[in-house]
Amino acid sequence: YYPQSAGERLVPYIARQFDSQFWLLESSAVVAAGEKNVRVESLRQKSGLKRVVQVQWFDVGGKTTATVTRAKLLQVPAVLSGKQYFSVFTLQAECTQRDCQEVRQTLVRLSESIQ
């Protein structure tokens, strides 16, 4: 995302990363993935048995973070340095085992290779 005018925020308003009408957050943690931190969330479908793992991070002007709060703070150095761009990276996969551990490990490992 690149702001179209000087009045636009670099990091837009971000309420939540999943539709809480259909999904329940089972767990959330920030973990190291190579040289960056990512947020790992386990979600369960409210009206079914499906479970997914979601790994997410933000890039604000070349600096990465796992939280929206820190992304908002990183707007200041991004604007001052002229690197006014914002990206959201999300990897998601359905769990194939009850504890989702294998999917979680795979997604964190994949996130390490994305710069």
Side-chain angles (χ1 to χ4, degrees):
Y1 169 77
Y2 292 93
Q4 301 302 311
S5 70
E8 287 185 67
R9 291 186 176 141
L10 183 57
V11 178
Y13 173 72
I14 301 172
R16 104 176 18 100
Q17 305 302 301
F18 60 91
D19 188 340
S20 62
Q21 181 179 351
F22 301 105
W23 295 94
L24 178 66
L25 179 65
E26 289 188 319
S27 68
S28 180
V30 174
V31 302
E35 296 182 14
K36 66 180 169 278
N37 287 332
V38 298
R39 189 176 65 251
V40 180
E41 296 178 331
S42 295
L43 305 167
R44 181 177 51 84
Q45 191 177 34
K46 285 184 174 180
S47 63
L49 299 175
K50 186 182 288 191
R51 295 175 69 212
V52 298
V53 172
Q54 177 172 283
V55 172
Q56 189 169 68
W57 69 98
F58 308 98
D59 181 326
V60 185
K63 306 244 187 249
T64 60
T65 183
T67 66
V68 173
T69 303
R70 182 140 162 79
K72 289 289 202 182
L73 293 173
L74 289 172
Q75 291 180 108
V76 175
V79 169
L80 293 175
S81 68
K83 297 177 181 176
Q84 297 188 52
Y85 62 89
F86 169 75
S87 302
V88 177
F89 294 87
T90 303
L91 304 175
Q92 187 180 75
E94 187 172 348
C95 296
T96 55
Q97 298 173 330
R98 181 159 174 79
D99 68 356
C100 297
Q101 188 62 28
E102 185 178 321
V103 169
R104 186 177 294 113
Q105 290 173 345
T106 299
L107 290 180
V108 169
R109 194 171 46 252
L110 285 170
S111 71
E112 292 175 8
S113 65
I114 300 172
Q115 300 297 324

